[in-house]
């Protein structure tokens, strides 16, 4: 069993599934010879040849259209957008075709495609390379939106995404691509989609998050623990369809909830979770639900980007505000 | 001993071959902090400030204002400050195509060792920006909820497979529940949770997991537990997924369905019934027809229609149309009988024309024809109006007596209930007779109670005849 980083989890999952399922193909800009802008597809071209791992023109619309076509005709394409900020040209194909294929054909054709994209900020990248835009996809029926937050979850959830008969938007938090390593057996075991992962058990407050912010949220839970506050940490992992049961149960237990999201606050996915809590758990709440999120601005360039990302300190402060409120 | 580092010019745009130094913002020998502006450079796209990649002292500038530096070639030498904040290893950022042949037309050619270093540098795993990296090894710890030890992935799998972790046989070291334990429990169905509320996929995705066989199903009373979405398998439970009673109770019993716009026949029925209710002064009288004298098997519906026709002849006031606006009554010499037909799409009332002229066989054929036309929707709209009195045979399903609705302009409707065997008191004792419950609803604006009762009596008498 090798100790691997999150991005190596992605590579390992792709390699495993390509080896065991000849219908899996990988396409995107520079995914072949170059091995991908972040090296996610490193070595796949040598292993599986250019028919299974192919470089496309610099044209996201084509990549996505090709992916929908391949998927509709029985292949299992895994398309890469080099950055989440370049996925917008793909949206027409993803939203208007991939997400609707099953419904449009009344179940005759599904669209077993995966659209991968490095996601989020914090790597000193230029404009368009640091966005958190998952909420643009969570509102689209027929799409799964998945955000792994650890090497093991990157491996297990990507395998599940490729095997799923419906389209998955798979956002990889690039800030933690190589942050640490984890022992992940390359045994082809998928992790379950559509359920949250409870990373810490707690009784005083529920911290709900996803993606790269899992790191800061766990740090915040540790900081709170030093003060005797027991925080439950939930990694949503699959945003849509949302496993609200896990969140609801936790909120019923703790009575308090802080939602942490990297994306701008207004109308982000945290708003959906907060609304569901208001609809279904109001009488369990001891304090208002609080969101710690990015500011409502374009992701700033590197000198200010750390100020955009919800920091451990901001999460801790929000948790204390909530605890003080009731 | 402080470490020295060479900073190579990163790609300042995307795929730019080189950049020109505009101005050094830090002098050789000065100290600089990580990310502080180091030098401003002009590319084909813009003038950008390049931040310092290290905290430390700037030992050497590889070029001065106006010099062109090739992407990937050395730009500056640093002596690192061991106490200063440095970026994580391998996070220097920058663009690393294949090693760039250093052929910069720089006045001071880069020293060969540095160029060689540029070529041999380790791949940092990104073309844009700087991805922090480390070799730190982490493992996710097993948490223990309710005394059950399991790592997050195992708990997530248990949730997905609807397995109650508390009842899983743990085989892991120190009593930890393993992934295999959960899968075994799911396969054997030994630790199934009650199905959670049908909260489900917003997507069309079909879960690739088969619910464990024999999953217990608890149906909570309406209003208990959280309201499920009307989708997926809407089984509901009063227990949370951890098996604890749910504490949240909604403020009111919320409807769980989506409001659906009525269409077509049902929409028409709603309008017509509301109008009838608003206008008609409905009065109902009920009694039972005794079929004890019947000879052999007979067509109950045909006999009922014959009885209605006889009643219409005896009491024409009920075979009429009433105009409430102008207060006029139109009595009909013929009987066009509206027959209520129930369909999944709603209520149809086709007219059996000239019921007073048909014999038993003619009535039966007419009824069958109308039913078939209603079922395959071939009935013309003209055949759904203009009846003079109507019949609702709700007893086909259930029910004895009922206030069936008089739809204007008609003034009467006969409801036939379920045939039953009743104990009847007769001279000299009791007998069991077959009886047919008859309900007559009439519009009291248009006819008197006496007329209605006499009408009902004719029906009962006609139905009581042997054949």
């Amino acid at each position: 069993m090798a100790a691997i980083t999150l991005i190596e989890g992605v590579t390992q999952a792709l390699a495993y599934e390509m080896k065991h399922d000849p219908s899996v193909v990988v396409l995107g800009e520079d995914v072949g010879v170059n091995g991908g802008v972040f090296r996610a597809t490193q070595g796949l071209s040598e292993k599986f040849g250019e028919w299974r791992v192919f470089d496309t023109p610099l044209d996201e619309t084509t990549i996505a259209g090709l992916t929908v076509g391949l998927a509709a005709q029985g292949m299992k394409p895994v398309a890469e957008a080099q950055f989440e900020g370049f996925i917008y040209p793909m949206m027409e194909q993803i939203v208007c075709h991939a997400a609707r294929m099953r419904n449009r054909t009344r179940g005759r054709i599904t669209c077993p495609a995966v659209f991968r994209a490095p996601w989020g900020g914090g790597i000193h990248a230029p404009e368009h390379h640091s966005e958190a835009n998952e909420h643009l996809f969570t509102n689209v029926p027929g799409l799964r939106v998945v955000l792994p937050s650890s090497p093991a979850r990157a491996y297990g959830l990507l395998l599940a995404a490729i095997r799923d008969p419906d389209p998955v938007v798979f956002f990889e938090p690039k800030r933690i691509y190589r942050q640490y390593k984890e022992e992940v057996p390359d045994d082809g075991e998928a992790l379950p989609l559509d359920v949250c992962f409870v990373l810490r058990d707690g009784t005083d407050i529920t911290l709900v998050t996803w993606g790269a912010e899992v790191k800061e949220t766990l740090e915040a839970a540790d900081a709170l623990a030093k003060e005797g506050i027991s925080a439950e940490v939930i990694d949503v992992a699959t945003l849509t369809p949302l496993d609200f049961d896990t969140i609801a149960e936790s909120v019923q237990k703790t009575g308090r909830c802080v939602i942490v999201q990297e994306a701008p606050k207004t109308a982000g996915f945290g708003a959906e979770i907060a609304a569901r809590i208001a609809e279904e758990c109001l009488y369990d709440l001891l304090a208002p639900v609080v969101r710690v999120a990015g500011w409502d601005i374009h992701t700033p360039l590197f000198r200010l980007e750390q100020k955009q990302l919800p920091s451990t300190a901001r999460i801790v402060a929000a948790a204390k505000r909530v605890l003080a409120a009731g | 001993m402080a470490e020295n580092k060479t900073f190579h010019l990163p790609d300042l745009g995307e795929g730019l071959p080189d950049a020109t130094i505009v101005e050094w913002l830090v002098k050789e020998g000065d100290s600089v902090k990580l990310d502080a502006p180091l030098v401003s450079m002009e590319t084909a796209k813009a003038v950008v400030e390049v931040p310092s990649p290290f905290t430390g002292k700037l030992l050497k500038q590889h070029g001065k204002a106006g010099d062109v530096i090739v992407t990937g070639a050395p730009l500056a030498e640093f002596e690192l400050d061991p106490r200063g904040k440095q970026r994580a290893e391998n996070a220097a950022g920058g663009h690393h195509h294949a090693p760039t042949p250093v052929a910069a037309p720089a006045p001071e050619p880069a020293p060969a060792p540095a160029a060689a270093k540029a070529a041999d540098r380790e791949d940092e795993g990104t073309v844009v920006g700087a991805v922090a990296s480390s070799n730190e090894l982490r493992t996710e710890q097993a948490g223990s909820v309710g005394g059950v030890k399991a790592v997050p992935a195992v708990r997530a799998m248990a949730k997905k497979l609807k397995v109650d972790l508390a009842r899983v046989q743990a085989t892991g070291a120190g009593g930890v529940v393993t992934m295999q334990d959960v899968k075994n429990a799911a396969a054997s169905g030994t630790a199934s949770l009650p199905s959670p509320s049908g909260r489900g996929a917003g997507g069309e995705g079909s879960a690739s997991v088969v619910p464990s066989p024999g999953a217990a199903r608890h149906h909570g009373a309406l209003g208990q537990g959280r309201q499920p979405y009307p989708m997926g398998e809407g089984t509901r439970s009063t227990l949370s997924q951890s098996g604890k009673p749910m504490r949240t109770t909604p403020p009111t019993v919320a409807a769980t369905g989506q409001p659906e716009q009525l269409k077509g026949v049902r929409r028409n029925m709603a309008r017509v019934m509301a109008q009838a209710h608003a206008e008609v002064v409905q009065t109902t009288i009920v009694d039972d027809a005794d079929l004890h004298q019947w000879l052999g098997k007979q067509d109950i519906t045909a006999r009922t229609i014959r009885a209605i026709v006889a009643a219409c002849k005896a009491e024409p006031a009920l075979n009429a149309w009433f105009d409430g606006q102008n207060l006029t009554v139109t009595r009909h010499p013929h009987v066009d009988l509206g027959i209520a037909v129930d369909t999944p799409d709603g209520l149809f009332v086709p007219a059996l024309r000239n019921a007073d002229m048909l014999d038993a066989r003619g009535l039966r054929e007419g009824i069958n024809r109308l039913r078939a036309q209603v079922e395959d929707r071939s009935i013309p709209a003209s055949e759904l109006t203009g009846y003079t009195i109507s019949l609702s045979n709700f007893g086909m399903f259930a029910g004895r007596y009922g206030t069936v609705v008089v739809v204007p302009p008609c003034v009467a409707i006969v409801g036939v209930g379920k045939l039953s065997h009743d104990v009847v008191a007769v001279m000299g004792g009791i007998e069991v007779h077959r009886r047919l419950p008859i309900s007559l609803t009439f519009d009291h604006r248009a006819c008197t109670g006496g007329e209605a009762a006499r009408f009902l009596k004719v029906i009962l008498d006609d139905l009581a005849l042997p054949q």
Side-chain angles (χ1 to χ4, degrees):
Chain A
M1 186 175 353
I4 56 169
T5 58
L6 193 151
I7 186 123
E8 286 165 335
V10 170
T11 318
Q12 193 167 284
L14 288 170
Y16 183 95
E17 209 53 13
M18 290 182 83
K19 186 175 163 195
H20 292 86
D21 183 347
S23 59
V24 178
V25 294
V26 168
L27 64 153
E29 294 153 15
D30 290 334
V31 298
V33 178
N34 181 281
V37 63
F38 285 103
R39 308 284 170 261
T41 52
Q42 188 119 40
L44 297 181
S45 179
E46 291 88 333
K47 236 180 250 166
F48 300 104
E50 60 182 6
W51 283 102
R52 307 261 325 262
V53 185
F54 49 96
D55 288 322
T56 64
L58 203 159
D59 176 4
E60 282 76 14
T61 307
T62 295
I63 298 171
L66 203 55
T67 301
V68 173
L70 283 164
Q73 297 308 312
M75 300 297 283
K76 290 184 189 157
V78 183
E80 178 181 291
Q82 284 205 330
F83 287 85
E84 77 298 297
F86 301 132
I87 207 168
Y88 303 125
M90 291 186 164
M91 284 185 78
E92 200 275 334
Q93 295 292 338
I94 296 174
V95 174
C96 299
H97 302 293
R100 294 160 188 258
M101 193 64 75
R102 177 188 284 271
N103 185 50
R104 179 181 292 156
T105 64
R106 293 292 177 263
R108 201 167 54 81
I109 294 177
T110 62
C111 188
V114 179
F115 298 90
R116 289 180 46 245
W119 168 98
I123 68 154
H124 290 205
E127 199 190 1
H128 308 303
H129 296 69
S130 299
E131 320 210 341
N133 51 9
E134 66 279 13
H135 45 279
L136 299 178
F137 295 90
T138 54
N139 191 238
V140 179
L143 270 191
R144 261 200 181 70
V145 179
V146 178
L147 265 141
S149 65
S150 75
R153 282 190 283 284
Y155 178 76
L157 293 173
L158 183 53
L159 284 175
I162 299 171
R163 292 169 190 175
D164 192 85
D166 290 293
V168 177
V169 175
F170 195 84
F171 280 132
E172 298 155 10
K174 63 175 95 84
R175 177 153 61 94
I176 56 171
Y177 258 162
R178 299 170 185 276
Q179 192 191 52
Y180 66 92
K181 293 185 173 179
E182 201 179 358
E183 298 270 355
V184 181
D186 188 11
D187 54 5
E189 281 288 326
L191 284 172
L193 295 167
D194 311 343
V195 289
C196 299
F197 291 75
V198 183
L199 303 184
R200 283 293 156 80
D201 302 316
T203 50
D204 298 330
I205 187 165
T206 304
L207 308 179
V208 180
T209 188
W210 55 93
E213 283 295 321
V214 165
K215 170 181 176 280
E216 284 76 11
T217 307
L218 285 170
E219 285 168 0
D222 290 343
L224 290 165
K226 286 200 181 90
E227 303 187 31
I229 298 160
S230 156
E232 184 141 309
V233 177
I234 295 177
D235 173 11
V236 177
T238 303
L239 274 60
T240 43
L242 174 65
D243 166 23
F244 186 69
D245 281 326
T246 298
I247 296 168
E249 272 179 48
S250 179
V251 171
Q252 286 179 348
K253 178 171 62 175
T254 64
R256 305 176 185 92
C257 184
V258 170
I259 300 161
V260 184
Q261 76 178 31
E262 186 175 315
K265 187 173 190 175
T266 301
F269 191 69
E272 168 63 21
I273 295 174
R276 287 286 293 272
I277 293 172
E279 278 179 351
E280 302 184 37
C281 310
L282 183 69
Y283 297 93
D284 296 305
L285 288 176
L286 302 167
V289 175
V290 168
R291 287 172 290 160
V292 181
W295 313 113
D296 287 349
I297 55 173
H298 296 295
T299 312
L301 294 174
F302 54 81
R303 215 177 308 168
L304 294 172
E305 74 176 359
Q306 290 303 328
K307 295 195 162 41
Q308 168 73 356
L309 301 170
S311 62
T312 305
R314 268 172 71 192
I315 300 166
V316 169
K320 286 187 175 165
R321 264 208 325 278
V322 168
L323 285 152
Chain B
M1 163 84 199
E3 189 188 354
N4 287 4
K5 284 260 187 187
T6 306
F7 175 43
H8 301 259
L9 175 66
D11 182 351
L12 300 173
E14 277 181 69
L16 290 175
D18 54 34
T20 310
I21 299 175
V22 176
E23 182 193 1
W24 281 99
L25 305 170
V26 178
K27 293 201 289 291
E28 283 183 2
D30 283 2
S31 292
V32 62
K33 281 205 160 60
L34 174 71
D35 288 339
L38 172 71
V39 57
S40 90
M41 306 205 59
E42 185 168 14
T43 70
K45 291 184 178 179
V47 175
V48 288
E49 278 186 7
V50 178
S52 170
F54 310 110
T55 302
K57 193 155 78 180
L58 178 62
L59 294 177
K60 182 167 173 38
Q61 301 167 345
H62 286 289
K64 56 185 189 298
D67 288 350
V68 176
I69 306 289
V70 175
T71 301
L75 178 64
E77 303 288 337
F78 288 86
E79 180 186 294
L80 301 199
D81 176 355
R83 286 163 322 206
K85 185 178 168 196
Q86 302 294 359
R87 187 161 304 145
E89 197 56 35
N90 282 346
H95 192 309
H96 312 299
H97 294 298
T100 317
V102 180
E108 297 174 52
K117 247 164 93 183
D120 301 344
R121 231 160 10 152
E122 199 186 324
D123 183 347
E124 290 167 5
T126 177
V127 175
V128 172
V131 177
S133 83
S134 83
N135 285 326
E136 181 198 352
L137 187 64
R138 292 193 200 168
T139 7
E140 284 189 342
Q141 295 304 317
S144 56
V145 175
V148 181
K149 283 193 199 152
V151 295
V154 169
R155 276 209 244 160
M157 186 60 86
K159 174 144 297 232
K160 183 84 179 183
L161 299 177
K162 298 183 176 58
V163 165
D164 182 359
L165 271 179
R167 295 193 289 148
V168 172
Q169 195 73 41
T171 63
V176 173
V177 179
T178 67
M179 194 64 98
Q180 200 51 49
D181 294 341
V182 169
K183 286 182 177 174
N184 293 347
S188 64
T190 49
S192 307
L193 273 176
S195 297
S197 56
R199 194 182 268 112
E204 302 161 45
S206 54
S208 52
V209 170
V210 183
S212 54
R217 299 231 168 140
H218 300 261
H219 293 274
L222 196 64
Q224 284 180 295
R226 291 197 301 275
Q227 295 301 319
Y229 278 25
M231 51 176 70
E233 269 197 296
T235 52
R236 302 181 50 208
S237 163
T238 54
L239 299 179
S240 72
Q241 289 209 315
S242 59
K244 287 186 279 214
M246 296 221 220
R247 289 188 324 202
T248 301
T249 43
T252 57
V253 177
T256 56
Q258 286 277 18
E260 258 184 79
Q261 202 63 52
L262 287 183
K263 291 201 287 283
V265 179
R266 278 186 190 274
R267 195 182 178 83
N268 190 50
M269 178 181 80
R271 270 205 309 263
V272 166
M273 293 297 165
Q275 185 203 353
H277 184 76
E279 287 182 20
V280 176
V281 180
Q282 300 212 97
T283 315
T284 304
I285 48 175
V286 299
D287 206 336
D288 295 297
D290 193 318
L291 315 187
H292 191 61
Q293 303 297 329
W294 278 25
L295 298 172
K297 199 169 162 43
Q298 296 179 50
D299 184 335
I300 294 177
T301 307
R303 281 291 306 262
T304 309
I305 295 173
R306 191 184 85 183
I308 292 172
V309 167
C312 290
K313 288 201 161 60
E315 283 295 342
L318 280 86
N319 184 42
W321 284 351
F322 179 77
D323 180 345
Q325 291 272 297
N326 303 313
L327 295 179
T328 58
V329 173
T330 309
R331 295 185 181 183
H332 298 290
H334 62 282
V335 179
D336 281 359
L337 184 71
I339 296 174
V341 178
D342 180 65
T343 76
D345 289 345
L347 172 68
F348 285 80
V349 186
L352 181 63
R353 304 288 176 199
N354 303 312
D356 53 324
M357 303 299 290
L358 298 169
D359 60 1
R361 205 171 117 211
L363 289 172
R364 176 42 55 194
E365 282 171 0
I367 290 164
N368 290 349
R369 182 171 41 81
L370 290 177
R371 272 191 188 285
Q373 285 182 326
V374 165
E375 267 157 30
D376 64 16
R377 298 285 178 280
S378 62
I379 191 150
S382 60
E383 291 305 294
L384 296 169
T385 56
Y387 41 88
T388 60
I389 185 167
S390 44
L391 164 66
S392 170
N393 195 353
F394 59 82
M396 287 163 61
F397 311 112
R400 286 197 139 199
Y401 312 104
T403 306
V404 269
V405 179
V406 177
V407 176
C410 288
V411 300
I413 178 167
V414 176
V416 178
K418 190 160 58 79
L419 190 74
S420 62
H421 293 262
D422 295 343
V423 175
V424 179
V426 292
M427 293 287 285
I430 50 173
E431 288 175 2
V432 173
H433 290 191
R434 280 204 311 165
R435 299 207 302 183
L436 193 63
I438 304 289
S439 308
L440 171 66
T441 302
F442 63 99
D443 186 346
H444 216 317
R445 293 176 305 167
C447 36
T448 67
E451 285 164 343
R454 286 191 291 273
F455 183 95
L456 180 62
K457 184 170 184 334
V458 175
I459 293 179
L460 300 179
D461 290 349
D462 191 85
L463 275 170
L465 296 172
Q467 55 191 2

